[in-house]
Protein backbone atom coordinates (compact mmCIF):
# COMPACT_ATOMS: atom_id res chain seq x y z
CA UNK A 1 0.00 0.00 0.00
CA UNK A 2 1.45 3.34 -1.08
CA UNK A 3 -0.71 5.88 0.77
CA UNK A 4 -3.11 5.86 3.72
CA UNK A 5 -5.46 8.84 4.07
CA UNK A 6 -6.88 9.12 7.59
CA UNK A 7 -10.14 11.05 8.06
CA UNK A 8 -11.54 11.47 11.59
CA UNK A 9 -15.34 11.76 11.54
CA UNK A 10 -17.51 13.46 14.17
CA UNK A 11 -20.71 15.43 13.61
CA UNK A 12 -19.93 16.35 9.99
CA UNK A 13 -23.08 15.24 8.16
CA UNK A 14 -23.03 18.34 5.96
CA UNK A 15 -19.39 18.10 4.85
CA UNK A 16 -18.41 14.41 4.99
CA UNK A 17 -19.45 13.53 1.43
CA UNK A 18 -17.58 16.51 -0.02
CA UNK A 19 -14.44 15.54 1.90
CA UNK A 20 -14.50 11.86 0.89
CA UNK A 21 -15.29 12.63 -2.75
CA UNK A 22 -12.35 15.03 -2.93
CA UNK A 23 -10.00 12.33 -1.63
CA UNK A 24 -11.30 9.52 -3.81
CA UNK A 25 -10.99 11.69 -6.92
CA UNK A 26 -7.23 12.09 -6.43
CA UNK A 27 -5.26 10.25 -9.10
CA UNK A 28 -3.32 8.02 -6.71
CA UNK A 29 -2.92 4.32 -7.35
CA UNK A 30 -2.68 1.95 -4.39
CA UNK A 31 -4.41 4.20 -1.83
CA UNK A 32 -6.59 3.41 1.16
CA UNK A 33 -8.95 5.84 2.88
CA UNK A 34 -9.58 5.22 6.58
CA UNK A 35 -12.76 6.79 7.95
CA UNK A 36 -12.63 6.88 11.75
CA UNK A 37 -16.10 7.30 13.19
CA UNK A 38 -15.30 8.75 16.61
CA UNK A 39 -18.65 7.82 18.17
CA UNK A 40 -20.52 10.42 16.12
CA UNK A 41 -24.12 10.69 17.43
CA UNK A 42 -25.69 11.55 14.05
CA UNK A 43 -25.88 9.91 10.61
CA UNK A 44 -22.12 9.92 10.10
CA UNK A 45 -21.59 6.24 11.10
CA UNK A 46 -24.14 5.12 8.50
CA UNK A 47 -22.64 7.48 5.91
CA UNK A 48 -19.20 5.97 6.52
CA UNK A 49 -20.57 2.45 6.02
CA UNK A 50 -22.29 3.47 2.78
CA UNK A 51 -19.01 4.85 1.47
CA UNK A 52 -17.25 1.60 2.32
CA UNK A 53 -19.90 -0.33 0.39
CA UNK A 54 -19.43 1.91 -2.66
CA UNK A 55 -15.62 1.94 -2.80
CA UNK A 56 -13.25 -0.87 -1.88
CA UNK A 57 -10.49 1.61 -1.04
CA UNK A 58 -12.41 2.74 2.05
CA UNK A 59 -12.00 1.16 5.48
CA UNK A 60 -14.16 2.20 8.42
CA UNK A 61 -13.43 2.20 12.15
CA UNK A 62 -16.32 2.66 14.58
CA UNK A 63 -15.10 3.60 18.06
CA UNK A 64 -16.25 5.29 21.24
CA UNK A 65 -15.74 9.02 21.28
CA UNK A 66 -12.20 9.89 22.31
CA UNK A 67 -11.46 13.15 20.53
CA UNK A 68 -9.49 14.12 17.46
CA UNK A 69 -6.12 12.79 18.66
CA UNK A 70 -7.61 9.43 19.60
CA UNK A 71 -9.35 9.15 16.23
CA UNK A 72 -6.17 9.92 14.30
CA UNK A 73 -4.25 7.43 16.41
CA UNK A 74 -6.82 4.71 15.68
CA UNK A 75 -6.29 5.33 11.98
CA UNK A 76 -2.51 5.23 12.32
CA UNK A 77 -2.74 1.90 14.17
CA UNK A 78 -4.31 0.12 11.19
CA UNK A 79 -2.76 2.11 8.32
CA UNK A 80 -0.94 0.00 5.74
CA UNK A 81 0.48 2.75 3.55
CA UNK A 82 4.13 3.56 3.14
CA UNK A 83 3.00 7.17 3.54
CA UNK A 84 0.32 8.75 5.72
CA UNK A 85 -1.70 11.92 5.38
CA UNK A 86 -4.62 13.39 7.32
CA UNK A 87 -7.71 15.22 6.12
CA UNK A 88 -10.23 16.72 8.55
CA UNK A 89 -13.77 15.81 7.53
CA UNK A 90 -15.02 19.39 7.32
CA UNK A 91 -12.22 20.22 4.85
CA UNK A 92 -11.42 18.91 1.37
CA UNK A 93 -8.65 18.60 -1.21
CA UNK A 94 -8.21 20.40 -4.50
CA UNK A 95 -8.23 18.09 -7.53
CA UNK A 96 -4.83 16.63 -8.51
CA UNK A 97 -3.17 17.49 -5.21
CA UNK A 98 -2.01 14.20 -3.72
CA UNK A 99 -0.35 12.57 -6.75
CA UNK A 100 2.30 15.27 -7.37
CA UNK A 101 2.78 15.77 -3.64
CA UNK A 102 3.35 12.04 -3.28
CA UNK A 103 6.09 12.26 -5.91
CA UNK A 104 7.79 14.90 -3.74
CA UNK A 105 7.76 12.38 -0.89
CA UNK A 106 9.82 9.81 -2.73
CA UNK A 107 13.07 11.31 -1.40
CA UNK A 108 11.75 12.99 1.76
CA UNK A 109 10.34 12.09 5.15
CA UNK A 110 7.73 14.88 5.17
CA UNK A 111 6.19 16.99 2.41
CA UNK A 112 4.27 20.16 3.21
CA UNK A 113 1.97 21.68 0.59
CA UNK A 114 -0.23 24.74 0.18
CA UNK A 115 -3.37 25.72 2.12
CA UNK A 116 -5.82 27.51 -0.14
CA UNK A 117 -6.04 31.22 0.65
CA UNK A 118 -3.84 30.98 3.74
CA UNK A 119 -0.35 29.67 3.03
CA UNK A 120 1.73 28.75 -0.02
CA UNK A 121 5.23 27.49 0.73
CA UNK A 122 8.10 27.97 -1.69
CA UNK A 123 9.52 24.89 -3.38
CA UNK A 124 12.37 24.06 -1.03
CA UNK A 125 14.27 21.18 0.55
CA UNK A 126 15.31 21.23 4.21
CA UNK A 127 17.81 18.81 5.72
CA UNK A 128 18.16 20.82 8.94
CA UNK A 129 14.93 20.54 10.92
CA UNK A 130 15.66 23.63 13.03
CA UNK A 131 16.06 25.62 9.81
CA UNK A 132 12.72 24.29 8.61
CA UNK A 133 11.10 25.20 11.94
CA UNK A 134 12.48 28.76 11.98
CA UNK A 135 13.10 29.90 8.38
CA UNK A 136 10.11 27.97 7.10
CA UNK A 137 8.14 29.36 10.06
CA UNK A 138 6.43 25.99 10.38
CA UNK A 139 5.69 26.85 14.01
CA UNK A 140 2.89 28.99 12.52
CA UNK A 141 1.38 26.02 10.66
CA UNK A 142 2.05 22.85 12.63
CA UNK A 143 -1.18 21.33 11.29
CA UNK A 144 -1.27 17.56 10.85
CA UNK A 145 -3.10 18.05 7.55
CA UNK A 146 -1.43 19.66 4.48
CA UNK A 147 1.50 17.28 5.00
CA UNK A 148 2.50 13.79 3.87
CA UNK A 149 4.63 11.64 6.17
CA UNK A 150 6.59 8.45 5.88
CA UNK A 151 4.67 6.06 8.11
CA UNK A 152 7.85 4.97 9.89
CA UNK A 153 7.92 8.38 11.62
CA UNK A 154 4.86 7.29 13.62
CA UNK A 155 6.38 4.03 14.87
CA UNK A 156 6.77 5.51 18.36
CA UNK A 157 4.82 8.77 17.98
CA UNK A 158 1.10 9.34 18.53
CA UNK A 159 -1.07 12.42 18.97
CA UNK A 160 -1.57 13.29 22.67
CA UNK A 161 -5.04 12.23 23.77
CA UNK A 162 -6.94 14.85 25.75
CA UNK A 163 -4.88 17.78 24.46
CA UNK A 164 -6.07 20.57 22.20
CA UNK A 165 -3.63 22.02 19.64
CA UNK A 166 -2.37 18.43 19.48
CA UNK A 167 -0.50 19.12 16.23
CA UNK A 168 1.86 21.52 18.01
CA UNK A 169 2.85 18.72 20.39
CA UNK A 170 3.31 16.14 17.66
CA UNK A 171 5.12 17.76 14.73
CA UNK A 172 8.37 18.45 16.67
CA UNK A 173 8.48 14.76 17.67
CA UNK A 174 8.21 13.78 14.01
CA UNK A 175 10.87 16.29 12.99
CA UNK A 176 13.32 14.71 15.41
CA UNK A 177 12.99 11.52 13.39
CA UNK A 178 13.07 13.19 9.97
CA UNK A 179 16.11 13.72 7.78
CA UNK A 180 14.59 15.67 4.91
CA UNK A 181 11.49 17.85 4.40
CA UNK A 182 10.28 19.07 1.02
CA UNK A 183 7.89 22.00 0.75
CA UNK A 184 5.93 22.61 -2.43
CA UNK A 185 3.55 25.21 -3.81
CA UNK A 186 1.68 22.51 -5.73
CA UNK A 187 -1.81 21.43 -4.72
CA UNK A 188 -4.22 22.87 -2.20
CA UNK A 189 -5.68 21.77 1.08
CA UNK A 190 -8.99 23.61 1.51
CA UNK A 191 -9.31 24.51 5.17
CA UNK A 192 -12.87 25.51 6.06
CA UNK A 193 -13.13 27.98 8.92
CA UNK A 194 -15.28 26.75 11.78
CA UNK A 195 -16.49 29.54 14.11
CA UNK A 196 -17.10 26.87 16.75
CA UNK A 197 -13.66 25.31 16.33
CA UNK A 198 -10.77 25.44 18.79
CA UNK A 199 -8.88 28.12 16.84
CA UNK A 200 -11.80 30.52 17.17
CA UNK A 201 -12.94 29.66 20.69
CA UNK A 202 -9.80 28.69 22.60
CA UNK A 203 -10.02 29.25 26.35
CA UNK A 204 -7.19 30.33 28.60
CA UNK A 205 -6.63 26.71 29.66
CA UNK A 206 -6.44 25.60 26.04
CA UNK A 207 -4.05 28.40 25.12
CA UNK A 208 -1.96 27.34 28.12
CA UNK A 209 -1.66 23.93 26.49
CA UNK A 210 -0.60 25.53 23.20
CA UNK A 211 2.13 27.51 24.97
CA UNK A 212 3.22 24.38 26.83
CA UNK A 213 3.50 22.48 23.54
CA UNK A 214 5.89 25.11 22.19
CA UNK A 215 7.93 25.53 25.36
CA UNK A 216 8.58 21.79 25.66
CA UNK A 217 9.24 20.94 22.01
CA UNK A 218 13.03 21.25 22.13
CA UNK A 219 13.23 23.28 18.90
CA UNK A 220 15.53 26.27 18.52
CA UNK A 221 14.10 29.75 19.05
CA UNK A 222 14.85 32.99 17.22
CA UNK A 223 13.37 36.45 17.76
CA UNK A 224 10.43 35.96 15.37
CA UNK A 225 9.46 32.69 17.05
CA UNK A 226 9.83 34.34 20.45
CA UNK A 227 7.43 37.14 19.49
CA UNK A 228 4.93 34.53 18.28
CA UNK A 229 5.11 32.83 21.68
CA UNK A 230 4.87 36.20 23.39
CA UNK A 231 1.51 36.70 21.68
CA UNK A 232 0.30 33.39 23.08
CA UNK A 233 1.68 34.24 26.53
CA UNK A 234 -0.17 37.56 26.53
CA UNK A 235 -3.44 35.77 25.69
CA UNK A 236 -2.86 33.21 28.45
CA UNK A 237 -2.19 35.93 31.04
CA UNK A 238 -5.25 37.86 29.93
CA UNK A 239 -7.59 34.88 30.26
CA UNK A 240 -6.09 33.21 33.34
CA UNK A 241 -4.46 34.26 36.62
CA UNK A 242 -1.23 32.58 35.48
CA UNK A 243 2.12 34.29 35.81
CA UNK A 244 4.16 34.25 32.58
CA UNK A 245 6.07 31.01 31.92
CA UNK A 246 7.86 32.19 28.78
CA UNK A 247 11.52 32.83 29.59
CA UNK A 248 12.36 36.54 29.08
CA UNK A 249 14.47 37.34 26.03
CA UNK A 250 15.92 40.58 24.69
CA UNK A 251 14.81 40.98 21.08
CA UNK A 252 16.78 42.62 18.28
CA UNK A 253 14.40 45.52 17.62
CA UNK A 254 16.05 46.40 14.30
CA UNK A 255 14.76 43.14 12.81
CA UNK A 256 11.12 44.26 13.00
CA UNK A 257 8.78 47.09 12.01
CA UNK A 258 5.32 48.34 12.90
CA UNK A 259 3.46 46.72 15.77
CA UNK A 260 6.04 43.93 16.08
CA UNK A 261 8.77 46.49 16.64
CA UNK A 262 6.68 48.30 19.24
CA UNK A 263 5.98 45.07 21.08
CA UNK A 264 9.68 44.15 20.97
CA UNK A 265 10.64 47.53 22.44
CA UNK A 266 8.13 47.27 25.30
CA UNK A 267 9.24 43.69 25.96
CA UNK A 268 12.88 44.75 26.14
CA UNK A 269 12.23 47.69 28.46
CA UNK A 270 9.50 46.42 30.77
CA UNK A 271 9.69 42.63 30.50
CA UNK A 272 6.95 40.06 29.96
CA UNK A 273 5.21 40.41 33.32
CA UNK A 274 4.59 44.16 33.05
CA UNK A 275 3.75 43.87 29.34
CA UNK A 276 1.02 41.34 30.15
CA UNK A 277 -0.37 43.59 32.90
CA UNK A 278 -0.48 46.57 30.53
CA UNK A 279 -2.31 44.59 27.86
CA UNK A 280 -4.80 43.28 30.41
CA UNK A 281 -5.45 46.82 31.64
CA UNK A 282 -5.86 48.26 28.11
CA UNK A 283 -8.29 45.51 27.12
CA UNK A 284 -10.59 46.42 29.99
CA UNK A 285 -11.49 49.55 28.03
CA UNK A 286 -10.90 48.42 24.47
CA UNK A 287 -11.97 45.34 22.54
CA UNK A 288 -8.96 42.99 22.38
CA UNK A 289 -7.13 42.60 19.08
CA UNK A 290 -4.04 40.56 18.34
CA UNK A 291 -1.19 42.97 17.91
Amino acid sequence: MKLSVIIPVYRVEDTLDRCVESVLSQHVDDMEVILVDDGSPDQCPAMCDRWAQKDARIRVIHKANGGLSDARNAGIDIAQGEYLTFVDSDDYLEADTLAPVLLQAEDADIVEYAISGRFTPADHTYTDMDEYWLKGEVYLHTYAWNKLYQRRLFETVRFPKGKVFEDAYTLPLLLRKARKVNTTAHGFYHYCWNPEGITATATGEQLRQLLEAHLTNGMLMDDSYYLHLLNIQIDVCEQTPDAPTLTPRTVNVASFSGSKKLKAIINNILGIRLLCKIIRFVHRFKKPSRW
Side-chain angles (χ1 to χ4, degrees):
M1 185 66 63
K2 191 71 171 177
L3 176 65
S4 296
V5 182
I6 298 171
I7 305 177
V9 177
Y10 187 76
R11 289 185 173 177
V12 285
E13 289 177 334
D14 294 340
T15 60
L16 179 58
D17 286 344
R18 179 186 65 184
C19 175
V20 175
E21 287 169 358
S22 77
V23 173
L24 293 178
S25 66
Q26 302 293 311
H27 297 103
V28 176
D29 297 327
D30 202 18
M31 174 181 72
E32 66 174 356
V33 179
I34 302 173
L35 300 179
V36 184
D37 161 34
D38 190 36
S40 191
D42 52 13
Q43 292 301 309
C44 284
M47 293 172 70
C48 289
D49 290 338
R50 285 197 293 271
W51 273 112
Q53 292 169 2
K54 288 195 298 184
D55 197 304
R57 293 173 292 178
I58 292 181
R59 304 168 67 190
V60 177
I61 299 173
H62 295 291
K63 59 179 289 297
N65 179 254
L68 180 57
S69 288
D70 199 46
R72 286 177 178 163
N73 292 340
I76 295 169
D77 289 343
I78 70 164
Q80 299 176 345
E82 181 182 356
Y83 300 94
L84 299 180
T85 194
F86 303 92
V87 181
D88 284 357
S89 46
D90 46 1
D91 301 333
Y92 63 100
L93 299 178
E94 183 73 15
D96 299 320
T97 288
L98 288 184
V101 171
L102 194 57
L103 288 176
Q104 291 275 344
E106 294 291 344
D107 67 339
D109 299 295
I110 299 173
V111 180
E112 182 175 28
Y113 62 98
I115 305 169
S116 179
R118 295 171 66 93
F119 166 68
T120 302
D123 293 328
H124 195 80
T125 295
Y126 295 92
T127 55
D128 182 323
M129 297 305 105
D130 285 315
E131 180 186 12
Y132 172 53
W133 186 260
L134 296 176
K135 290 189 177 179
E137 293 186 327
V138 71
Y139 56 83
L140 297 176
H141 35 89
T142 59
Y143 321 116
W145 38 263
N146 92 302
K147 300 174 183 67
L148 265 69
Y149 313 84
Q150 285 203 18
R151 182 162 60 94
R152 67 168 184 81
L153 297 178
F154 285 93
E155 287 177 356
T156 59
V157 173
R158 290 294 186 271
F159 292 95
K161 185 176 178 180
K163 297 286 189 180
V164 295
F165 297 108
E166 66 289 328
D167 305 342
Y169 284 93
T170 306
L171 183 59
L173 300 178
L174 299 174
L175 292 180
R176 289 174 195 161
K177 295 174 173 290
R179 296 181 295 271
K180 180 186 287 189
V181 174
N182 287 337
T183 60
T184 177
H186 189 92
F188 282 118
Y189 184 99
H190 288 277
Y191 169 74
C192 299
W193 173 257
N194 179 2
E196 301 300 321
I198 185 62
T199 303
T201 63
T203 65
E205 166 58 30
Q206 291 165 337
L207 289 169
R208 183 191 294 130
Q209 290 183 28
L210 175 60
L211 184 61
E212 174 191 75
H214 281 283
L215 295 182
T216 60
N217 65 24
M219 306 299 291
L220 290 183
M221 185 182 296
D222 62 7
D223 286 346
S224 292
Y225 183 27
Y226 175 82
L227 288 183
H228 173 65
L229 297 188
L230 184 57
N231 265 337
I232 302 172
Q233 180 68 84
I234 289 169
D235 288 343
V236 171
C237 288
E238 186 167 14
Q239 296 188 42
T240 73
D242 294 3
T245 55
L246 178 63
T247 301
R249 176 188 181 112
T250 300
V251 176
N252 181 4
V253 175
S255 302
F256 302 99
S257 61
S259 61
K260 286 187 176 181
K261 185 171 186 176
L262 175 61
K263 179 165 56 178
I265 291 172
I266 297 174
N267 171 78
N268 289 353
I269 296 174
L270 300 179
I272 298 175
R273 188 180 297 271
L274 279 178
L275 175 59
C276 288
K277 288 183 177 180
I278 290 171
I279 297 299
R280 183 183 293 143
F281 177 79
V282 168
H283 285 173
R284 288 181 182 178
F285 305 98
K286 182 180 178 182
K287 185 178 179 181
S289 61
R290 184 175 293 271
W291 62 295

